[in-house]
Amino acid sequence: METIKAVFWKPDPQAQMRKCNRLIRENTRKLERDMFQLKNLESKTRQYIIQASKRAQRNPSQAKQAAAETRTFAREMVRIRKQSSRLATSKAQLQSVQMQVNEAFSVRKIEGSIRVSTGIMKDVNTLIRLPELTGTMRELSQELMKAGIIEEMVGDSLPDDALVEGEDEEAEAEVDKVLGEILKTPEVPGTKIDAESTAQEPAESEADLEDQEATLAQMRGRLEALKS
């Protein structure tokens, strides 16, 4: 019946608004799930850092290996927090879009016409580039174009590198800040690795290295899964 109506009459504004709100809610819930997973991942990473630090205290012969592990896990923590911050910003943008969309439909109901909103266009064009939201945001943008709230999206209006996660080496100051926060010390003893002293340390066991690499691979896999 709705399909037949669409052929002979213009889309129902109330139906359009309900569909837009439904899509926005779906995107919001997706971001909230991802943020919850990142929070759990951050908690586990914190425990890995603490465990490595305690192992260094219990067994001085493993101090250098444990120090290297704490810094490696701290770098992962920095990445997790950056992604969490990006998702929180995206959620705020989505909420802003929802308020502006509802306002636009309210104005249309009163004035009988609707105005193109450059603010909504900017937010939608930013959100549509998020890997987590690409599919449903494209659907939302199509609905907003049908309603006349936004114009056709310009694909290159946002630089590609604006949303690229920083995969290069994190600044050592950020890593030190994370370690100081978690281990409750301004400077974490043993975190700076001296090449000469490292050469004098006993060789690390292959089993320990494999465990560390497996843990990091699992963490990075989860981060990539959240982006896809």
Side-chain angles (χ1 to χ4, degrees):
M1 186 67 182
E2 292 294 329
T3 305
I4 297 174
K5 282 185 177 181
V7 174
F8 297 100
W9 291 280
K10 292 182 179 180
D12 176 20
Q14 289 301 312
Q16 285 182 312
M17 184 175 71
R18 285 194 298 271
K19 185 169 185 179
C20 289
N21 279 318
R22 176 178 61 78
L23 290 169
I24 291 172
R25 286 194 299 270
E26 286 179 6
N27 284 314
T28 301
R29 285 194 294 269
K30 174 66 168 64
L31 287 177
E32 288 173 345
R33 287 194 298 270
D34 288 350
M35 289 166 69
F36 179 75
Q37 291 181 50
L38 284 171
K39 186 177 180 180
N40 288 338
L41 193 56
E42 180 177 347
S43 178
K44 289 181 180 180
T45 306
R46 177 184 292 269
Q47 290 303 314
Y48 291 143
I49 292 172
I50 293 172
Q51 288 169 8
S53 177
K54 287 181 177 179
R55 190 171 71 252
Q57 294 172 16
R58 289 194 306 266
N59 191 346
S61 67
Q62 294 185 6
K64 295 301 179 182
Q65 177 189 348
E69 288 181 15
T70 57
R71 295 194 73 79
T72 301
F73 286 128
R75 290 189 183 96
E76 292 303 315
M77 176 76 84
V78 171
R79 293 189 180 98
I80 291 167
R81 288 181 173 179
K82 283 185 176 181
Q83 190 170 354
S84 296
S85 176
R86 179 172 64 84
L87 295 184
T89 299
S90 300
K91 181 182 175 182
Q93 285 181 307
L94 263 178
Q95 292 171 334
S96 174
V97 167
Q98 185 169 29
M99 287 189 292
Q100 292 180 77
V101 166
N102 289 335
E103 182 181 354
F105 276 107
S106 297
V107 170
R108 178 178 185 173
K109 187 175 182 180
I110 296 171
E111 299 181 0
S113 61
I114 204 162
R115 301 189 188 98
V116 172
S117 171
T118 55
I120 295 177
M121 284 183 65
K122 181 180 178 181
D123 286 339
V124 170
N125 209 23
T126 299
L127 291 165
I128 204 170
R129 288 179 175 270
L130 289 175
E132 299 89 346
L133 305 180
T134 298
T136 48
M137 284 306 301
R138 287 192 185 280
E139 187 178 355
L140 175 61
S141 68
Q142 291 171 359
E143 290 301 318
L144 293 174
M145 282 189 284
K146 289 178 185 176
I149 295 176
I150 65 173
E151 295 175 340
E152 187 173 357
M153 306 298 291
V154 181
D156 59 355
S157 62
L158 184 70
D160 287 339
D161 59 357
L163 293 174
V164 173
E165 191 72 19
E167 293 298 338
D168 55 344
E169 289 189 10
E170 268 47 301
E172 290 303 300
E174 288 187 77
V175 175
D176 290 335
K177 183 178 178 181
V178 167
L179 290 173
E181 169 199 331
I182 295 173
L183 302 179
K184 306 299 181 184
T185 174
E187 291 185 6
V188 183
T191 54
K192 299 293 184 182
I193 300 175
D194 184 356
E196 293 182 4
S197 61
T198 303
Q200 299 173 1
E201 289 291 325
E204 300 170 352
S205 69
E206 292 184 6
D208 288 340
L209 285 173
E210 288 177 0
D211 287 344
Q212 177 189 356
E213 291 172 359
T215 300
L216 286 171
Q218 185 180 34
M219 289 169 58
R220 286 168 180 160
R222 289 177 183 174
L223 273 173
E224 290 302 320
L226 289 172
K227 296 178 190 177
S228 63

